[in-house]
Each structure stands twice: as structure tokens, then as C-alpha cells.
Amino acid sequence: PGAKATAGALAVVAAIVAFPGSQAFLPGFDGGFGSSGGSKQQMAGQGDGAPSALGFAPKNTTQKFEDPDSEYLPEQILSTWFGVGPSGAVTQGGVKDSKRRELLSSDNYIAEWKKRFAKVMSTENGRYQLARQMNSYQLALDKCLKGEYRTKKEWNGPFGLLAQLVLVDQFARGCGAKPLENQKTAEKLSEQICDRGYFSKYEMMEVEQAILPLLRSEDAKLQMKAHKALKRCAKRFKKQESHFEAMSAYAEGNAKAIRYFGRLPSLNAVLGRTSTREESAYLDVLSGVAERRQQQQMMERYRKEESSRNQRFYPDGVKLDPTSAQAAVSAR
């Protein structure tokens, strides 16, 4: 079930499964589009000891914490995460008051955004520094998880809820949270965003962030909510229509898989669960392994047929050209 997902959606979910939260990163972390407000000296953590992998809070540090009661914190969180906040102001290294749409729905900006994340994640020190920057929001994360922001105006509305979601689903990884530890809280926030129709107020990168918890949910109803929301986004973002259609198809496939298996097989590895034989076959289809195996079998069968034909017509033997077998399989 659900094996019709396209390569685009699979790439998105592969990143989610491998590292929940890795679809987004801090573009301003290395002094680019935005900044969390802490100086590089503060984030360097002199005397912190050995760097740790992202997902583990730095220990024995003199950490600078962001003020959890600041009314400007939601804007700061989003501007740190996406490189530009709801007001459109870029805090560092960019043009002031630039339109969010010009950046957050721009293919060029998104490509640069992913490039910067890959650069940060490519080194142990980069991952450690990223964890430190996330860890500076620990006090705000604690309040968010306790529900203390539910009644505060600045933490509600489309961007307040999105800021809460970034805290519990992304920054929590730098505060020691395990993968999917806050999944239920993230699901509730994402569902609220969906039910209130806030996706219509987001740009492409914000939509992708807000929808991720629903795509990881093991509730078929929530997967279908994501499916319908992404369908609407496909109509709205015409240039990225195929991308959102692919994600929508993936959500629908997830719902079918949950109804069939009773859970989402693609989360088995992250949650330490053993896949059944049937689930393994399903995952093979999703990853394209089954298709590649089928192609290899067809090539082997063609080679045998060609070899038999050569032996009949050319007794002395003829060496086969592998590319001709590949071309024949492709043609079929």
C-alpha cells in the first residue's frame, strides 16, 4: 500500500526518518542570512570540553540563554531558523525589510539554505556549535512543553504556533531531546495550524516545516489532513506544484500503510522496532530497491537469452556488451 509515492516526496521523508528535523537548519548560523543574537564568542563555548553530536545538549558550559518571556522571541526564533522572520526583517547579513516571499518561496534561496545546513552538519564542530545555538532556547522550550505559551498572544496565531513548533520539533534536538521525543506535542501544534487554515499564510519553507509532524504521525486521520493541506498548497504554489503533489501522494500512501500495518513502517528504524517481512517488502518498494532488483533480474534474463542465441549462431562465442543489455531492459 502507498507505493506510488514519487522520488521527490521520498527524498523529503528519507531525511525525516534519518534525522527528524534535518529538513530545516539555521541559515544564519555561520553569519549568513540571520542570527540568534548571540555572539560567535558566546556560541564558541570556550572550555566546553569535547564537541558532541547534534541531539545532545552541551555539558559543563556557561550557556547564554534567550529570554523566554520576551514578546519578540517568536519572531527571533523564526528569523533564526529560516533566515527571515514574519515581519520580513533580516537580522544580519541581508537586506532589511525584504519580502518573505522573495526568499522563503524562492528555489535559489532554498537551495542555498540546504547548502548551508549541509556545510554545518559536515563537521563535528559544526554540529556542536549548532547544538549550542539551539540550546540557548532551553528555557523557552521548557515553558513551551509545559503549555505556558498557550494563552500568550505572541505565541498564538500563525507565526506564534509555528515558532512553538520549531522549538519542540527542531531546537529541542540541541537541548538533548531524542528523535521523535516531542512528536505528540509537535503533532498537536501542526494539527492546530492545519485546522485554523494557517498554511495559506505561510511561504513554501514554512509550510514544509509546519507539515512535517503530520507526515511522521502514525494516525491515518492526521496523514489525510496533511494530504488535503498539501493538495491545496500544490494549487497555491504553481512553480512547486509537482513537489507538493508528490508530498501529498506520500501522505496518502502513509495513511494506507497505517491502516494496513497498524503503524508506519518507515519509522521502525528510528523507534528501534523490528520490521516484519511484509513491512520490509513495503520499505523496499518505497526505497526503489524492489524496482532495481526487478531490473537486475530482467538484465540477467536478457544476458542468458543473448548468450544462448550467440551460442546457437556463433559457436566460437561472442562477448556481450553490457550496455546493450541495459539498453534492452530500458526499452522493455
Side-chain angles (χ1 to χ4, degrees):
K4 294 183 178 179
T6 65
L10 287 173
V12 171
V13 179
I16 298 169
V17 172
F19 171 63
S22 65
Q23 273 307 104
F25 66 103
L26 307 180
F29 171 74
D30 58 354
F33 297 113
S35 171
S36 69
S39 70
K40 290 188 177 181
Q41 286 74 26
Q42 287 169 323
M43 290 190 293
Q46 295 178 0
D48 290 346
S52 61
L54 184 57
F56 297 90
K59 297 179 180 180
N60 302 320
T61 67
T62 53
Q63 177 72 51
K64 171 188 178 293
F65 293 107
E66 302 295 345
D67 180 5
D69 297 316
S70 169
E71 64 180 298
Y72 304 107
L73 195 57
E75 167 93 22
Q76 181 180 317
I77 287 169
L78 296 180
S79 125
T80 298
W81 196 238
F82 296 111
V84 56
S87 70
V90 180
T91 56
Q92 178 184 337
V95 180
K96 293 286 184 182
D97 300 320
S98 61
K99 294 181 181 179
R100 285 169 51 251
R101 184 171 301 151
E102 292 177 2
L103 295 177
L104 301 187
S105 288
S106 162
D107 289 337
N108 290 337
Y109 182 80
I110 292 171
E112 179 66 18
W113 190 70
K114 292 178 178 179
K115 180 181 176 182
R116 284 170 184 257
F117 176 63
K119 181 181 178 182
V120 170
M121 291 294 290
S122 66
T123 66
E124 189 175 20
N125 185 59
R127 292 190 295 273
Y128 174 72
Q129 296 293 351
L130 179 56
R132 268 193 67 77
Q133 189 171 4
M134 290 176 171
N135 189 246
S136 68
Y137 292 87
Q138 177 72 66
L139 299 180
L141 174 64
D142 291 342
K143 280 180 171 281
C144 188
L145 290 173
K146 291 176 183 176
E148 294 183 24
Y149 289 152
R150 290 174 191 165
T151 58
K152 297 203 172 189
K153 183 179 178 181
E154 64 269 24
W155 288 99
N156 285 279
F159 297 105
L161 286 175
L162 184 60
Q164 287 192 62
L165 183 56
V166 169
L167 264 180
V168 302
D169 202 37
Q170 307 292 351
F171 286 13
R173 294 304 308 282
C175 299
K178 297 176 182 178
L180 303 181
E181 183 174 322
N182 299 324
Q183 173 63 17
K184 291 301 179 184
T185 302
E187 278 181 22
K188 289 178 181 177
L189 289 167
S190 187
E191 187 177 15
Q192 274 186 285
I193 288 169
C194 191
D195 290 345
R196 296 182 188 182
Y198 287 160
F199 283 115
S200 63
K201 300 183 182 296
Y202 296 157
E203 294 307 319
M204 181 177 172
M205 287 171 69
E206 295 165 331
V207 167
E208 289 185 332
Q209 172 62 66
I211 205 74
L212 289 184
L214 297 187
L215 290 176
R216 294 195 302 257
S217 175
E218 293 196 289
D219 184 332
K221 291 181 180 178
L222 292 184
Q223 290 284 352
M224 289 309 296
K225 275 193 177 185
H227 164 68
K228 292 174 183 177
L230 289 165
K231 276 283 187 185
R232 291 191 290 271
C233 289
K235 293 179 180 178
R236 181 178 161 216
F237 296 100
K238 289 297 183 182
K239 288 184 178 180
Q240 293 88 13
E241 183 176 4
S242 60
H243 173 71
F244 283 109
E245 285 287 356
M247 291 182 71
S248 175
Y250 188 86
E252 185 178 29
N254 278 351
K256 292 178 181 178
I258 292 166
R259 294 190 194 106
Y260 186 84
F261 295 111
R263 61 185 187 178
L264 197 55
S266 56
L267 294 182
N268 287 351
V270 174
L271 297 175
R273 301 186 306 214
T274 302
S275 296
T276 65
R277 182 178 296 180
E278 199 171 12
E279 286 176 335
S280 295
Y282 167 76
L283 293 172
D284 281 352
V285 172
L286 286 186
S287 64
V289 171
E291 186 177 349
R292 288 195 296 273
R293 283 177 182 166
Q294 185 180 24
Q295 188 178 49
Q296 288 171 357
Q297 289 170 356
M298 289 178 67
M299 286 184 66
E300 187 60 33
R301 189 164 60 248
Y302 178 84
R303 285 192 179 99
K304 288 180 179 178
E305 291 173 358
E306 190 72 7
S307 177
S308 177
R309 194 177 299 114
N310 287 340
Q311 287 176 5
R312 262 174 27 208
F313 293 101
Y314 304 98
D316 293 335
V318 176
K319 288 185 178 180
L320 289 175
D321 178 3
T323 57
S324 65
Q326 177 66 58
V329 169
S330 300
R332 289 188 185 184

